[in-house]
Amino acid sequence: MSFDTDVLISGAGAAGLTLAIDLARRGISFRLIEQNTQPFSGSRGKGIQPRTMEIFEDLGIVDRMAAAGGPYPPLCQYRPDGTHKMSLLTEADVFPTAAEPYAAPLMLPQFATEAVMRERLSELGHHPHFGTRLTGFEQDAHGVTARIEQDGGEQVIRARFLVGTDGGRSFVRHALAIDFPGEALDVRAIVADVRLEGLDRSVWHRFQFSSPAMQVMICPLAGTDLFQIQAPVALDGEVDLSPAGLTALIEDRTGRGDITVRSVSWSSVYTMSARLADRYRIGRVFLAGDAGHVHPPTGGQGLNTSVQDAYNLGWKLASVLAGAPEALLDSYEAERRPIALDMLALSTRLLGEAKQGTMRRDREARQIDLGYRGFSLSAPGSAAGKMQAGDRAPDAACRGQAGQPTRLFTVFQGTHWTLLGYQPHDRPSAIAGVRIVTVGAGHELVDDRGHIAEVYGVEPGQWVLVRPDGYIAGIFSSDGLEPQLSRYFAQVLPITPRRYARMGVPQD
């Protein structure tokens, strides 16, 4: 059967770009389309959480992201009596550790985040097709037949899978008739990227924080000469988003006539809601990112959750396309939908706190502790110690046997699985797609400062299996290791003749 591409991705925002980069580095054919004629130019999402920074390291773009953005400034909250209060958005004692190399969120406007991602995609030989709209599709047991419109003409594309990363108004979700239940949060707000005079760039300015309906927040956008204005507005009626209109709004809410908006580069009026798709998949069609969940912007959770959706889906699609059982794809919705449900609850709670004047972001918002304990890809019977199957695999500083300093994240980086043996007695046979790395005297890695033993809590002879997306699949003892691995890999890796033999399956 002839296919034009393996995966058609509809929507070239953060989720679509993440999926495209991941598939590109795996050598999977795809086409990334976007109905808008040019890239998104606003800063709707501006916070990159530490867990997403780890993903960006794996994708080869974390340093570019950090260079393009900067840390969050302290928050300056102005009181009606003219005094003000200074505070930090995160706890004062947040700092990197060997296990968690990225401690605090990075501020980077969404348009800059996506620009870095498009650059990375170009390096891998691909680009989004802008001005290309998905107009319809049908699926069968083997693939998806999609109709796309470009330059006034229609084209039919045959793909093995379709992924809708096309935002909160997702055409793909509507076409699948997937319900999108939730609630309106009775908050309408503006967001605008502007150039203005009268405020310094060293703090995030917040006025009227004791009066939720009259608040206005003005944040310097790191890496740019812009400020982002955020403010609640009436639930209906026109809003003047011109420079004069925004200047008047600021003066009305701050009582200050010395703040002047000179130009507006992007603006939006939106009504907040919290909604979660009933399903993330029907057959060979998937939803990822805002197509599956929408939420208030509080806490900087949305873009990060969208990136992580795509990062979870990418390696699974690639493995199935290479011959792994299609049942592996069931784990995408099973793992990601509960994460989104929790994220909606967190964003909604933080919205309520913001109305009352609290803007603090705790560890939960940084997404480091999210995981998949108890789900189907967490190997049953794994050793239960400090770390468990389904947990994020921590980083750890160590040394290569040749003397060079390195880290576990460097070992994990790439498209492979990692099997990490701690002071093992022997070494299992090579497995296609799995990097086997051993730790200890006379082995590849030296745990010279004890970080690996400390953070993983492993005993000599134990093996840690790490998924391509940086989560622990299982912790095994040396006894019966190869049969345990064969049973596990049967559900996630393509079957090869050598693995058939190892599993006792007769060959023709």
PDB file of all heavy atoms in Angstrom, residues 42 55 73 77 156 167 300 343 375 385 415 458 474 477:
ATOM      1  N   GLY A  42       2.979  36.063  18.935  1.00  0.00           N
ATOM      2  CA  GLY A  42       2.707  36.564  20.278  1.00  0.00           C
ATOM      3  C   GLY A  42       3.441  35.815  21.373  1.00  0.00           C
ATOM      4  O   GLY A  42       4.179  34.863  21.131  1.00  0.00           O
ATOM      5  N   ILE A  55      13.667  18.260  28.421  1.00  0.00           N
ATOM      6  CA  ILE A  55      13.283  17.764  27.100  1.00  0.00           C
ATOM      7  C   ILE A  55      14.026  18.530  26.009  1.00  0.00           C
ATOM      8  O   ILE A  55      14.539  17.934  25.050  1.00  0.00           O
ATOM      9  CB  ILE A  55      11.753  17.882  26.917  1.00  0.00           C
ATOM     10  CG1 ILE A  55      11.036  16.926  27.866  1.00  0.00           C
ATOM     11  CG2 ILE A  55      11.354  17.620  25.464  1.00  0.00           C
ATOM     12  CD1 ILE A  55       9.541  17.126  27.927  1.00  0.00           C
ATOM     13  N   PRO A  73      11.814  37.940  36.365  1.00  0.00           N
ATOM     14  CA  PRO A  73      12.180  39.023  37.285  1.00  0.00           C
ATOM     15  C   PRO A  73      11.378  38.914  38.581  1.00  0.00           C
ATOM     16  O   PRO A  73      10.350  38.228  38.625  1.00  0.00           O
ATOM     17  CB  PRO A  73      11.783  40.277  36.503  1.00  0.00           C
ATOM     18  CG  PRO A  73      10.626  39.836  35.654  1.00  0.00           C
ATOM     19  CD  PRO A  73      10.922  38.402  35.281  1.00  0.00           C
ATOM     20  N   GLN A  77       4.585  44.453  43.561  1.00  0.00           N
ATOM     21  CA  GLN A  77       3.141  44.638  43.690  1.00  0.00           C
ATOM     22  C   GLN A  77       2.867  45.985  44.355  1.00  0.00           C
ATOM     23  O   GLN A  77       3.295  46.220  45.487  1.00  0.00           O
ATOM     24  CB  GLN A  77       2.536  43.483  44.490  1.00  0.00           C
ATOM     25  CG  GLN A  77       2.869  42.114  43.890  1.00  0.00           C
ATOM     26  CD  GLN A  77       2.031  40.997  44.486  1.00  0.00           C
ATOM     27  OE1 GLN A  77       0.895  40.785  44.087  1.00  0.00           O
ATOM     28  NE2 GLN A  77       2.596  40.271  45.440  1.00  0.00           N
ATOM     29  N   VAL A 156      -4.698  15.485  -1.895  1.00  0.00           N
ATOM     30  CA  VAL A 156      -4.999  14.325  -1.052  1.00  0.00           C
ATOM     31  C   VAL A 156      -3.680  13.701  -0.610  1.00  0.00           C
ATOM     32  O   VAL A 156      -2.784  13.464  -1.436  1.00  0.00           O
ATOM     33  CB  VAL A 156      -5.870  13.299  -1.795  1.00  0.00           C
ATOM     34  CG1 VAL A 156      -6.063  12.047  -0.942  1.00  0.00           C
ATOM     35  CG2 VAL A 156      -7.216  13.900  -2.160  1.00  0.00           C
ATOM     36  N   GLY A 167      -4.593  23.212  18.247  1.00  0.00           N
ATOM     37  CA  GLY A 167      -5.083  24.200  19.191  1.00  0.00           C
ATOM     38  C   GLY A 167      -6.459  23.940  19.763  1.00  0.00           C
ATOM     39  O   GLY A 167      -7.119  22.939  19.466  1.00  0.00           O
ATOM     40  N   GLY A 300       1.978  28.976  34.026  1.00  0.00           N
ATOM     41  CA  GLY A 300       2.830  28.602  32.904  1.00  0.00           C
ATOM     42  C   GLY A 300       2.841  27.114  32.633  1.00  0.00           C
ATOM     43  O   GLY A 300       3.903  26.509  32.467  1.00  0.00           O
ATOM     44  N   MET A 343      -3.126  19.076  35.561  1.00  0.00           N
ATOM     45  CA  MET A 343      -2.654  20.403  35.163  1.00  0.00           C
ATOM     46  C   MET A 343      -3.805  21.407  35.135  1.00  0.00           C
ATOM     47  O   MET A 343      -3.651  22.555  35.565  1.00  0.00           O
ATOM     48  CB  MET A 343      -1.993  20.326  33.786  1.00  0.00           C
ATOM     49  CG  MET A 343      -1.422  21.639  33.278  1.00  0.00           C
ATOM     50  SD  MET A 343      -2.616  22.654  32.359  1.00  0.00           S
ATOM     51  CE  MET A 343      -2.792  21.688  30.875  1.00  0.00           C
ATOM     52  N   PHE A 375       1.291   2.602  35.464  1.00  0.00           N
ATOM     53  CA  PHE A 375       0.740   2.468  34.120  1.00  0.00           C
ATOM     54  C   PHE A 375       1.380   1.282  33.407  1.00  0.00           C
ATOM     55  O   PHE A 375       2.324   0.664  33.891  1.00  0.00           O
ATOM     56  CB  PHE A 375       0.921   3.762  33.343  1.00  0.00           C
ATOM     57  CG  PHE A 375       0.036   4.881  33.830  1.00  0.00           C
ATOM     58  CD1 PHE A 375       0.535   5.866  34.680  1.00  0.00           C
ATOM     59  CD2 PHE A 375      -1.300   4.942  33.466  1.00  0.00           C
ATOM     60  CE1 PHE A 375      -0.273   6.889  35.139  1.00  0.00           C
ATOM     61  CE2 PHE A 375      -2.114   5.966  33.923  1.00  0.00           C
ATOM     62  CZ  PHE A 375      -1.606   6.935  34.756  1.00  0.00           C
ATOM     63  N   GLY A 385      12.641   1.037  45.304  1.00  0.00           N
ATOM     64  CA  GLY A 385      13.571   1.721  46.195  1.00  0.00           C
ATOM     65  C   GLY A 385      13.271   3.194  46.194  1.00  0.00           C
ATOM     66  O   GLY A 385      12.106   3.611  46.148  1.00  0.00           O
ATOM     67  N   THR A 415      17.690   8.981  20.745  1.00  0.00           N
ATOM     68  CA  THR A 415      16.433   8.289  20.466  1.00  0.00           C
ATOM     69  C   THR A 415      16.368   6.895  21.085  1.00  0.00           C
ATOM     70  O   THR A 415      15.371   6.199  20.923  1.00  0.00           O
ATOM     71  CB  THR A 415      16.255   8.160  18.943  1.00  0.00           C
ATOM     72  OG1 THR A 415      17.326   7.376  18.399  1.00  0.00           O
ATOM     73  CG2 THR A 415      16.245   9.528  18.273  1.00  0.00           C
ATOM     74  N   VAL A 458      20.129   2.495  44.035  1.00  0.00           N
ATOM     75  CA  VAL A 458      20.319   1.158  43.483  1.00  0.00           C
ATOM     76  C   VAL A 458      21.389   0.392  44.250  1.00  0.00           C
ATOM     77  O   VAL A 458      22.296   0.974  44.846  1.00  0.00           O
ATOM     78  CB  VAL A 458      20.696   1.225  41.986  1.00  0.00           C
ATOM     79  CG1 VAL A 458      19.492   1.611  41.159  1.00  0.00           C
ATOM     80  CG2 VAL A 458      21.841   2.205  41.742  1.00  0.00           C
ATOM     81  N   GLY A 474      11.733   0.283  34.371  1.00  0.00           N
ATOM     82  CA  GLY A 474      11.803  -0.775  35.367  1.00  0.00           C
ATOM     83  C   GLY A 474      13.171  -0.818  36.011  1.00  0.00           C
ATOM     84  O   GLY A 474      14.149  -0.286  35.476  1.00  0.00           O
ATOM     85  N   SER A 477      16.915  -6.959  38.814  1.00  0.00           N
ATOM     86  CA  SER A 477      18.117  -7.597  39.349  1.00  0.00           C
ATOM     87  C   SER A 477      18.808  -8.345  38.209  1.00  0.00           C
ATOM     88  O   SER A 477      18.247  -8.565  37.138  1.00  0.00           O
ATOM     89  CB  SER A 477      17.747  -8.569  40.471  1.00  0.00           C
ATOM     90  OG  SER A 477      16.988  -9.649  39.937  1.00  0.00           O
TER      91      SER A 477
END
